[in-house]
Amino acid sequence: MELAERVAGWVRDREPELLAELAAWIAQPSVSRTGEGMAEAAAHGVELLRRSGLTPEVVATGGRPALVGTAPGPPGAPHVLVYGHYDVQPAGPLHEWVTPPFEPDFRDGRVYGRGAADNKGQHLAQLLGLRALREVGGGLPCRVTVLLDGEEEVGSPNLAKALRGLDKPDLVLWSDGPVHESGRASVVLGVRGVVTFELRVRGASGVLHSGNWGGVAPNPAWRLVHVLAGMRDARGRVLVDGFADGAAPLSPGERDALAELPVDVPGVLAGIGVSGMEPPSGPGFHERLTGPTFSINSLTCEDGGEHRTVIPNVAVARCDMRLAGGQRVDDVLAALRAHLARHAPDVELVPGGAMNPSRTLPEARWTGAVVRGAAAGLGEEPLLLPALGGSLPIAAFSDELGVPCYGVPLANVDERNHAPNENLALDWFRRGVVAAATLQRAIAEEGR
């Protein structure tokens, strides 16, 4: 019998206890932003690692601890690091939840609760896959390290510290976010980075009457609009010199992968109520999600939302720049500072959260094995995504450790991560356990 069949049978035979284990993990609050339940969650996570046959360790980072579990493999076997995070987002508006966020509810083939998909259900599937390999798969075929981050939802500021005491793996696997928007399984090769910041312009010492002072007192809102217009033109070109320095062109393998991704552009745009994409007109839908961008998130004046007929004294733009493989946060911030010093020295730059991008090429050694392993466990050929549009702290591995990193999402498209009524489709959870096992087997076969 094939490994996938044996593990699928193991999941069916133990489904009530596995779902109870999932429910108990979701029921444990672990909100890193506030600290709610974090100490108890660390203890719970340590026990999950132990039950999966791993030797657990709580790693101090200076922030929320990381949880690390290790297990030896056969001599000469590849070393696989599996990354997940045990912290979750705050619940958000409680009145928008159908059932309480930390009281998991099974209905309509899904489990609802904060952390169900992001990320407790997904990394639990990985752990259960390891457990199944021990019980019905003849043991672990690879050396394994599992790292559960306690600060992913606040930007993983201390993840690099947690890595410094670990042996270098051959590759990293992570399961986070949803599958491709078409509903197809996917293997993700990279994530974009991000730099968030505010631009602040100050005018008079206080708010002024627009009739008495209009045309006399400088208006910081107009100043801010003009500064922003000098940073990106109407054709979508970012005008900040040096912003895109280091951004690597797509490789032939990445372009081939992008060409295979299905998308109904008119349908997608209609679904969000627009008729066209942002300029420029050339790049395709998926190519746009791999490259650098500059977005204005909000524009406001510090007027308390009253919108009076005044000249404001402070105008603020909150922005983000998404970074492609090869760009670095420090370089982008330096380019922003240089642009403002040259063109708008009166504008204050206030940096916010940031992450470097991560990039693994389709041509990398382990790509074929990961695709084969995911296909065997998930029951369908996965799409190959060169990069997620969003950002995850994967650069901590690709930069700090210098190894290829592969995402195998195990959550449904409509998981509602970060939103009320977050959920995980149980079919993806079951298939995820099987895929976690077949991935390890495929990697071990590639490493022979």
Side-chain angles (χ1 to χ4, degrees):
M1 185 185 297
E2 293 291 332
L3 176 64
E5 296 176 60
R6 294 200 301 275
V7 175
W10 182 88
V11 172
R12 284 193 301 272
D13 293 344
R14 292 160 178 77
E15 181 159 317
E17 66 187 77
L18 300 183
L19 295 185
E21 201 163 342
L22 173 61
W25 197 204
I26 298 167
Q28 172 56 60
S30 52
V31 185
S32 52
R33 190 175 302 174
T34 65
E36 179 188 1
M38 288 300 294
E40 297 83 356
H44 192 130
V46 163
E47 185 56 29
L48 286 177
L49 294 172
R50 183 178 288 112
R51 287 209 300 268
S52 299
L54 304 168
T55 301
E57 179 185 2
V58 178
V59 178
T61 66
R64 312 291 182 195
L67 312 180
V68 175
T70 56
H79 179 191
V80 182
L81 190 153
V82 178
Y83 171 73
H85 62 93
Y86 70 97
D87 66 325
V88 302
Q89 283 282 320
L94 294 179
H95 69 276
E96 294 185 19
W97 286 84
V98 174
T99 52
F102 295 110
E103 295 179 17
D105 184 50
F106 292 88
R107 63 180 187 271
D108 303 322
R110 304 185 181 210
V111 59
Y112 289 79
R114 176 58 84 225
D118 187 20
N119 173 255
K120 289 178 175 177
Q122 298 206 52
H123 70 242
L124 181 59
Q126 289 281 357
L127 291 173
L128 293 175
L130 300 179
R131 201 181 304 177
L133 281 168
R134 289 183 176 279
E135 296 188 17
V136 298
L140 298 184
C142 297
R143 178 185 173 191
V144 176
T145 297
V146 174
L147 189 155
L148 301 182
D149 188 355
E151 298 182 311
E152 194 273 349
E153 298 293 6
V154 292
S156 298
N158 296 295
L159 181 56
K161 294 179 185 176
L163 295 179
R164 288 171 192 158
L166 302 182
D167 290 343
K168 181 178 177 178
D170 292 293
L171 70 158
V172 173
L173 294 178
W174 53 272
S175 294
D176 205 341
V179 298
H180 187 259
E181 58 262 24
S182 65
R184 285 269 302 276
S186 54
V187 170
V188 181
L189 298 179
V191 296
R192 286 198 292 190
V194 65
V195 172
T196 65
F197 58 94
E198 290 183 1
L199 299 177
R200 303 179 69 90
V201 181
R202 300 182 185 278
S205 58
V207 172
L208 299 172
H209 187 286
S210 64
N212 296 340
W213 292 98
V216 175
N219 189 317
W222 276 117
R223 173 63 175 151
L224 181 58
V225 169
H226 294 146
V227 168
L228 289 167
M231 298 176 78
R232 203 193 88 154
D233 67 16
R235 290 183 289 170
R237 293 183 306 164
V238 177
L239 305 176
V240 178
D241 288 343
F243 156 69
D245 286 359
L250 293 170
S251 74
E254 287 173 318
R255 289 199 174 278
D256 289 345
L258 288 172
E260 293 296 320
L261 296 178
V263 62
D264 171 13
V265 175
V268 170
L269 297 180
I272 61 172
V274 300
S275 58
M277 292 192 286
E278 272 273 87
S281 59
F285 182 91
H286 289 293
E287 184 179 349
R288 292 167 182 265
L289 297 176
T290 67
T293 62
F294 177 16
S295 299
I296 299 172
N297 308 135
S298 67
L299 285 171
T300 187
C301 297
E302 292 188 344
D303 63 354
E306 295 172 343
H307 306 298
R308 295 165 289 155
T309 52
V310 299
I311 297 172
N313 66 322
V314 181
V316 181
R318 292 179 174 85
C319 308
D320 75 56
M321 288 179 160
R322 297 287 171 167
L323 313 184
Q327 288 180 281
R328 287 294 172 264
V329 166
D330 290 346
D331 296 337
V332 171
L333 287 172
L336 283 168
R337 291 189 179 101
H339 178 92
L340 294 173
R342 186 163 55 250
H343 300 288
D346 56 314
V347 175
E348 180 185 7
L349 173 69
V350 183
M355 286 182 190
N356 280 319
S358 174
R359 185 186 190 210
T360 293
L361 294 178
E363 296 87 349
R365 174 186 177 185
W366 302 101
T367 302
V370 172
V371 170
R372 289 193 300 274
L378 296 174
E380 59 178 305
E381 191 70 20
L383 297 168
L384 199 59
L385 275 63
L388 283 183
S391 302
L392 288 166
I394 307 305
F397 303 99
S398 57
D399 291 0
E400 292 284 325
L401 302 179
V403 298
C405 302
Y406 299 93
V408 184
L410 302 175
N412 36 295
V413 172
D414 55 347
E415 61 173 321
R416 293 184 59 80
N417 48 338
H418 295 205
N421 303 308
E422 179 181 344
N423 67 90
L424 177 64
L426 297 180
D427 181 58
W428 276 108
F429 178 68
R430 298 183 192 100
R431 292 162 68 196
V433 176
V434 180
T438 56
L439 279 163
Q440 295 286 335
R441 175 67 61 82
I443 291 165
E445 291 172 350
E446 174 66 27
R448 287 176 183 164

